[in-house]
Amino acid sequence: MKKFIYLLMIPVLLLSLSCKKSNIHPPKTSEEELPQPGNSNFPEWVTYDHASSPLPNDQVNAIAIGKNNVKWMGTAEGLARLEGTQWTIYNTGNSPLPSNHIQALTVEDNGTVWVGTPDGLARFNGTNWNVYTTANSLLTNNGIKCMAYDAGRNTVWAGTEEGIIKITNGNWQYIDHFETILSMAVDHNGALWMGEFKGFSFVGVIKKYQNGQWTSYRLDQLGYASAFAYSIAVDKNDRIVAALAGTVVKAVIRFDGNHWEEVTRPEQARGFRAMVIQNDKIWVGGATFTLYGDRKSPVIAIPGTNSPVLSMALDANGRKWLGTYDGGVAVYR
């Protein structure tokens, strides 16, 4: 029933200091304790939920994994950090986080994590926190919907409920006003790509920002009416890949610099929400979890839950981390 309600709610949702001491939990069952992927004993799945691990809530809205392979998980009731077998939980009671409801995450190459919430943006370098709101920064709205990190230019991009902020080496720049920003990614040349939802016209748009100029691709004009780019990624060949979902649309499209093409969709794939690219493989999660590119690709069942996938990330060992709506985190080999 929760899955059914969640899927119906998607269009509605579219419209609508020094660090204090953290809670450190003793290690519990961790995928890091298990044999590494080359070993035949390594399990296909490892799962975490609030009952079996320190994960503070089973709704996992965002996952980010840094170059140091530390995992950050943003839940509806706090932020979780997992390094090896050691969990650390941050919330408004033990840190300056502006809200326990985490909506977006990104990690710099040096391990600094940026945390987006409905009530502001937080930066944590492992020792000190900085919290940014409309009162002390260029933010025009405290609701942070999505973020992206550009390692080549040491730039963090933050998409709010009203516009985009660019932060480079501590320097802030307000870029532009938009309606609802759903997704963000940065290509190899430093161009920002984003998925926008225009509520009045009920149109989805993919936009590119580079050197102060915008280029727009309306999804209805590409043949995808009432569709929205919930996830955007860049593959190793610098092609833009977007996972689209909407009233009747479920598609993954790819841009080679000149043309958009549709990637072959598995027959049973539904309800796209999150995506990761692993070499040439496109993994898509939503109402189902599938490997894209072949009509006959099967739906991959997550053990113990049929909860929709909200977020995904790829770790240094090639494992897919799936954040779900009410089933916690599942790690797929």
Side-chain angles (χ1 to χ4, degrees):
M1 176 60 74
K2 286 185 178 180
K3 175 179 175 181
F4 177 72
I5 294 173
Y6 165 75
L7 293 174
L8 288 179
M9 285 176 61
I10 288 176
V12 177
L13 291 173
L14 281 171
L15 300 171
S16 43
L17 311 166
S18 293
C19 175
K20 298 180 182 179
K21 186 176 180 180
S22 61
N23 290 340
I24 300 180
H25 297 262
K28 296 193 177 185
T29 302
S30 169
E31 51 91 21
E32 299 290 350
E33 297 176 308
L34 301 167
Q36 292 302 299
N39 190 310
S40 60
N41 293 325
F42 188 87
E44 187 175 31
W45 290 96
V46 176
T47 60
Y48 305 99
D49 59 28
H50 78 283
S52 63
S53 77
L55 191 72
N57 186 272
D58 288 341
Q59 180 177 320
V60 183
N61 301 315
I63 300 178
I65 302 176
K67 290 187 70 175
N68 55 7
N69 213 29
V70 171
K71 290 82 178 178
W72 295 91
M73 292 159 272
T75 80
E77 293 185 9
L79 176 67
R81 180 184 188 273
L82 177 60
E83 181 175 11
T85 62
Q86 186 70 63
W87 290 82
T88 309
I89 307 302
Y90 303 97
N91 54 47
T92 56
N94 65 20
S95 78
L97 274 173
S99 171
N100 284 332
H101 189 88
I102 312 303
Q103 298 186 146
L105 293 170
T106 197
V107 184
E108 297 182 29
D109 281 353
N110 63 10
T112 295
V113 63
W114 292 77
V115 187
T117 80
D119 299 315
L121 177 64
R123 176 184 182 273
F124 180 51
N125 65 6
T127 303
N128 297 316
W129 290 88
N130 298 99
V131 176
Y132 306 99
T133 67
T134 57
N136 67 351
S137 73
L138 292 182
L139 287 174
T140 58
N141 187 290
N142 288 330
I144 311 299
K145 304 296 291 184
C146 53
M147 286 187 290
Y149 175 61
D150 177 6
R153 281 143 285 272
N154 194 32
T155 294
V156 172
W157 296 86
T160 78
E161 293 182 0
E162 290 185 0
I164 293 177
I165 296 292
K166 178 182 180 183
I167 309 166
T168 304
N169 297 319
N171 298 312
W172 287 55
Q173 181 183 359
Y174 178 80
I175 299 299
D176 217 334
H177 173 83
F178 292 98
E179 293 189 42
T180 301
I181 302 169
L182 301 174
S183 54
M184 283 184 164
V186 180
D187 69 20
H188 299 168
N189 296 313
L192 174 71
W193 292 79
M194 72 172 200
E196 181 192 15
F197 167 70
K198 292 183 174 294
F200 182 75
S201 56
F202 209 72
V203 167
V205 184
I206 294 175
K207 292 189 174 182
K208 175 186 178 181
Y209 180 77
Q210 188 171 31
N211 299 324
Q213 302 295 319
W214 287 99
T215 305
S216 297
Y217 303 92
R218 283 182 47 147
L219 295 177
D220 58 339
Q221 295 176 355
L222 295 176
Y224 304 100
S226 301
F228 316 103
Y230 279 101
S231 184
I232 290 182
V234 181
D235 71 13
K236 65 180 183 180
N237 297 313
D238 207 28
R239 295 176 298 184
I240 309 306
V241 183
L244 313 181
T247 308
V248 295
V249 172
K250 39 187 181 293
V252 169
I253 59 176
R254 184 166 50 204
F255 187 61
D256 63 6
N258 296 302
H259 307 286
W260 291 94
E261 63 173 359
E262 185 168 329
V263 183
T264 302
R265 177 175 65 87
E267 293 176 345
Q268 300 179 64
R270 296 182 293 112
F272 305 158
R273 185 64 181 248
M275 173 177 60
V276 293
I277 298 179
Q278 181 183 23
N279 298 320
D280 291 322
K281 297 179 179 179
I282 303 172
W283 298 89
V284 181
T288 57
F289 172 52
T290 52
L291 174 61
Y292 237 71
D294 186 338
R295 291 181 62 251
K296 298 301 182 183
S297 285
V299 167
I300 303 170
I302 302 174
T305 182
N306 61 356
S307 179
V309 177
L310 297 181
S311 54
M312 296 174 63
L314 191 69
D315 72 14
N317 298 310
R319 288 169 286 202
K320 277 65 69 178
W321 289 65
L322 315 179
T324 70
Y325 178 60
D326 60 7
V329 175
V331 187
Y332 181 59
R333 184 181 60 195

